[in-house]
Amino acid sequence: EFGKFLVGSVDATNMSVHSGYDVPAYKQKRLPAPKLENNKVYIAYTMSDGDNIPVLTSSNWPQLWNQPERGQFPIGWTISPSSGILIPDVMDYYYSTASPNDSFLCAVSGVGYTYSNVYGKRFKPADRTSAFDGFLDLTEKYMKQMDLDIVCPSGSGLPEIRRYAQNLPSAKSIFADYGRAVTNYEDATHVTARNLPVFHSVSTWDPMADREKQISKLVDQIKSMAPSKYRPAFMHVFICNWFWDLSGLKEVLNRLGPEYVA
């Protein structure tokens, strides 16, 4: 509300050492789009919580990254643009070891974690606009540096999403929400300013579920949100990193069958 954002750093260590590494020229290995077929549902996995520096360095991302299933199917990994200057050696590792099936997205809300619908709320209206524009300017700067063209805002309504599209010329699409915030496909997939496509999450998670239940529930959520009258269809499948491994995500694809394309 005071126009501040968070770069998650609890338990992060040796930041001064990491930031002494020369910032590399980040470049993604971009996979061509799959063949478009009029009877398919195209789903995009997005892995959460890469906005947190300790998640990238010492928590579960390193374990996920080293699993043998990585590279076998497309996954979008959300990262903080701030990581490119705070831990450039670590991000150089991720970019250099990524497979063509690994994509990087701008994590929760931009250069730092915030809820855009309340950002600068304590300011006068004109100052609030200026504060949010400044946040988006920083986001654009570091998205470009890290070759990111998808942004994942959290706590955003349609007006805030529109401003993301207007103020971030690097963005080619918007993947919104931390978990599911919509109830049907029509609300989940739409366009905004600059004719930019917006994909709201069609999935959430159950922190109490065991592995089998987590897999079956995600399959059910995807199928229940898939439209029957709109094909091809395009869906953002949010993955909460704390509760998944890559073999589970591969099993979800197996159970969905050939109608669904990652």
Side-chain angles (χ1 to χ4, degrees), residues 40-246:
K40 301 290 188 183
V41 178
Y42 295 87
I43 67 170
Y45 282 142
T46 64
M47 187 69 70
S48 78
D49 282 78
D51 59 302
N52 286 293
I53 300 299
V55 169
L56 297 172
T57 56
S58 59
S59 191
N60 69 335
W61 260 47
Q63 286 73 44
L64 291 168
W65 196 256
N66 285 322
Q67 289 176 351
E69 293 82 7
R70 186 176 65 80
Q72 295 180 14
F73 53 92
I75 298 179
W77 302 83
T78 61
I79 60 171
S80 169
S82 296
S83 64
I85 55 172
L86 294 172
I87 49 169
D89 51 340
V90 177
M91 298 319 298
D92 195 15
Y93 164 77
Y94 282 118
Y95 274 66
S96 63
T97 59
S99 77
N101 267 327
D102 298 310
S103 298
F104 297 111
L105 296 71
C106 176
V108 243
S109 297
V111 67
Y113 174 33
T114 190
Y115 298 107
S116 52
N117 58 341
V118 295
Y119 193 82
K121 184 179 178 180
R122 300 295 187 106
F123 298 159
K124 295 177 181 178
D127 293 335
R128 180 178 182 181
T129 298
S130 177
F132 192 44
D133 286 348
F135 172 78
L136 294 177
D137 288 345
L138 277 176
T139 297
E140 169 69 12
K141 175 181 177 180
Y142 291 109
M143 281 182 65
K144 288 178 68 174
Q145 178 178 295
M146 300 199 71
D147 193 26
L148 303 173
D149 58 13
I150 298 173
V151 62
C152 305
S154 187
S156 297
L158 295 180
E160 290 81 25
I161 286 174
R162 185 173 186 83
R163 286 181 67 194
Y164 272 93
Q166 291 169 331
N167 289 47
L168 300 178
S170 292
K172 293 183 179 178
S173 62
I174 295 174
F175 278 53
D177 309 328
Y178 192 97
R180 189 168 73 184
V182 295
T183 58
N184 56 69
Y185 180 79
E186 290 80 359
D187 291 335
T189 306
H190 58 90
V191 296
T192 186
R194 296 198 292 118
N195 209 34
L196 220 62
V198 179
F199 305 97
H200 292 269
S201 170
V202 301
S203 58
T204 188
W205 70 97
D206 180 355
M208 304 306 294
D210 61 22
R211 188 174 185 276
E212 170 57 32
K213 189 174 182 180
Q214 205 80 263
I215 291 171
S216 61
K217 289 186 77 168
L218 185 57
V219 171
D220 290 344
Q221 287 180 79
I222 293 169
K223 287 185 174 181
S224 69
M225 289 289 284
S228 57
K229 61 181 179 179
Y230 299 116
R231 298 291 169 92
F234 304 90
M235 299 169 66
H236 163 200
V237 179
F238 175 88
I239 303 300
C240 191
N241 67 311
W242 307 110
F243 303 103
W244 283 93
D245 56 39
L246 302 193

Side-chain angles (χ1 to χ4, degrees), residues 246-260:
L246 302 193
S247 64
L249 296 181
K250 185 177 180 180
E251 177 61 22
V252 169
L253 292 175
N254 291 339
R255 295 189 191 185
L256 287 170
E259 182 183 353
Y260 293 82

